[in-house]
Every structure is written in C-alpha cells, then in structure tokens.
Amino acid sequence: MVSLLIEARSLTKRYAGASRAAVDNLSLEVAGGEIFGFLGENGAGKTTTIKMLCGLIPPDSGVAQIGGFDVQKEPIPAKKSLGYIPDNPFLYEKLTGSEFMELMGDLYDVPRDPSRVGDLMNLFELSDKRDSLISGYSRGMRQKIALAAQLLHHPRALFLDEPTVGLDPKGVLRLHEVLRIVAAQGTAVFLSTHVLDAAAQLCDRIGILHQGKLAAHGTPAELTSGGQSLGDVFLEATGGAGASGEVARLLGGTL
C-alpha cells in the first residue's frame, strides 16, 4: 500500500485586506517515493501553500498532514518528519559551513556524525568551504548548504521552493540527481518551480495552481496527452492562452 506523506485537505488562507483567498479550498496529496511539481504564476499561492503544509503559518480552515501527523495539532513530530528549503533560505552567517550543518542536526535531534556531514558537503561540492564562514558564501553555495542541511535527518517529506535559484547548470543537474535518489529512498518530494522543462522531466505528477485553486493536475504525460506542450497547458490553466498574439499586438508586430 502506498503511504501518503503529504496531505492537504480543503486548505484555505486569506490575508487581511485581500480581495480573494491566497489559497482557496485546496486538496492534494503526495505519496512516498513521488516527486510532485507545483507550478503557478507569481502570486498564485504556491509559497503560502508550502508554508501551511510545513506549519509555518496556520490555515484559516482545512487540515495539513505530514507523515500522518496533523501539522497544527502535532507540530513537533510533523516538523521532525519534513525538510524545507525556501527560495531565500535564512542562514547563520557567522557560522562555518560545518558548524551550520551540526546546528541543523542538533535541531532535529540527529546524533553528530562528522562523516555524514562531510559526505553531504562533498555531495554539493562544498568540502573546501566547510571551515569558511557562510557570510563569504556565494548565492549558489548558500543554496547548496541549505539543501545539504535539510537532508541530514532523512526527511520523510522534502519541500523545495524554487531551489535552483542561484545554482549553475552543474548544480542544477546535481540537485535533480539528488531528488531522484531521495525519492527512490521513499521520501515525498514537493517541488515548487517556474522551470517547466525541469518539471516535465523530473516530476511524477504536476499540479498547476491558479488564484489559489488547483487548475490542472496529473502526470506530465496526462497533461500533455492532447499534443500540447506543458507550457501550453500552463497558459491555458492560468488564463494566459493567446499570450503570444497579445505580446505581438503590444509590440506593434506579428509573431
């Protein structure tokens, strides 16, 4: 039987003064071993959804569960079961890379294991920076150390919000390799991205969010079964069909 590790049931969140809900009665689920791609235009509600699933903000209504634990009622075991990498991760800049890894392991009650820390830093090509302060890390290196740290405790559910920002092509390819291996080990991977090609190649299923609601969802093959590209499906789901003609009109030419 497939184990559901990420579950959202009728999640709703409305911010004060907003004309509509940021997330509107959203239900979805991700099984262990699955990579779920979460697509949507800016402001669609992707980050709000992830933060509710991770217990960082409470929903107005609905339930989020991680590994069977209600995120609101059982926050400690739920959060111990997940890893979360935001698009701009907060890092302690006065720590070295290895010190930061040790701190994150302590927060998750992981016994200190210098060899595992070393292996993860080597995986993301950070070995030569393990004793350097994070304040001197580049944008891509900061992303890599955040990723490495969230793998320390073997999370059952891994959330990534635009994880390729700042990574060079080699780093992106390594990240995709890591996510495939992590999923193969039974983790549920929840990936928010704007890179449609990566989503089509990497993800087992894709959900497209529009104005806080799931506008389309299925496997890449199911979504493109009509001969359309994933880009075409995305535009239709988000109300952007015919955009090329509109762009041409505004530019005074034709495409």
Side-chain angles (χ1 to χ4, degrees):
M1 181 177 179
V2 176
S3 175
L4 295 179
L5 297 181
I6 301 172
E7 298 178 77
R9 298 284 179 252
S10 303
L11 282 183
T12 298
K13 183 68 178 180
R14 182 184 295 274
Y15 294 109
S19 59
R20 61 174 176 80
V23 177
D24 190 356
N25 198 37
L26 178 66
S27 295
L28 56 81
E29 55 192 33
V30 185
E34 185 176 27
I35 301 178
F36 182 81
F38 202 42
L39 310 181
E41 70 268 57
N42 293 334
K46 301 187 302 299
T47 297
T48 296
T49 299
I50 290 175
K51 287 184 175 180
M52 286 192 290
L53 288 169
C54 292
L56 296 175
I57 59 175
D60 294 333
S61 60
V63 175
Q65 291 187 324
I66 302 295
F69 297 108
D70 186 307
V71 174
Q72 294 301 309
K73 295 179 179 178
E74 303 167 284
I76 300 302
K79 291 178 181 180
K80 274 192 171 185
S81 299
L82 66 86
Y84 169 54
I85 300 99
D87 59 344
N88 188 23
F90 173 82
L91 304 174
Y92 294 94
E93 298 201 344
K94 297 306 179 184
L95 296 180
T96 65
S98 58
E99 288 171 342
F100 176 74
M101 293 285 285
E102 290 172 353
L103 171 63
M104 296 305 295
D106 291 346
L107 291 174
Y108 282 103
D109 291 331
V110 176
R112 290 200 174 188
D113 183 353
S115 65
R116 177 157 174 76
V117 168
D119 287 343
L120 285 169
M121 295 193 75
N122 183 57
L123 179 65
F124 290 101
E125 299 185 326
L126 293 171
S127 294
D128 61 339
K129 295 293 183 179
R130 62 177 299 150
D131 296 320
S132 300
L133 293 178
I134 289 176
S135 59
Y137 280 23
S138 68
R139 177 69 175 87
M141 289 166 59
R142 290 166 179 256
Q143 195 74 1
K144 289 177 181 179
I145 195 72
L147 288 162
Q150 288 302 303
L151 295 176
L152 265 174
H153 64 294
H154 300 284
R156 300 188 69 199
L158 181 62
F159 294 87
L160 305 100
D161 194 354
E162 294 296 334
T164 59
V165 174
L167 295 182
D168 59 24
K170 185 177 181 181
V172 172
L173 292 173
R174 174 53 56 91
L175 171 64
H176 290 179
E177 179 184 9
V178 168
L179 294 183
R180 289 189 182 99
I181 293 172
V182 167
Q185 293 173 342
T187 296
V189 178
F190 194 103
L191 173 66
S192 173
T193 181
H194 288 303
V195 185
L196 300 184
D197 287 344
Q201 296 171 15
L202 184 65
C203 298
D204 300 299
R205 282 189 303 125
I206 290 172
I208 301 176
L209 199 67
H210 178 56
Q211 295 184 354
K213 297 182 178 181
L214 205 57
H217 115 280
T219 67
E222 290 169 346
L223 291 173
T224 60
S225 61
Q228 298 172 297
S229 69
L230 184 58
D232 293 331
V233 174
F234 180 87
L235 287 174
E236 285 188 6
T238 59
S244 295
E246 178 64 8
V247 170
R249 184 187 68 79
L250 292 172
L251 293 177
T254 58
L255 291 179

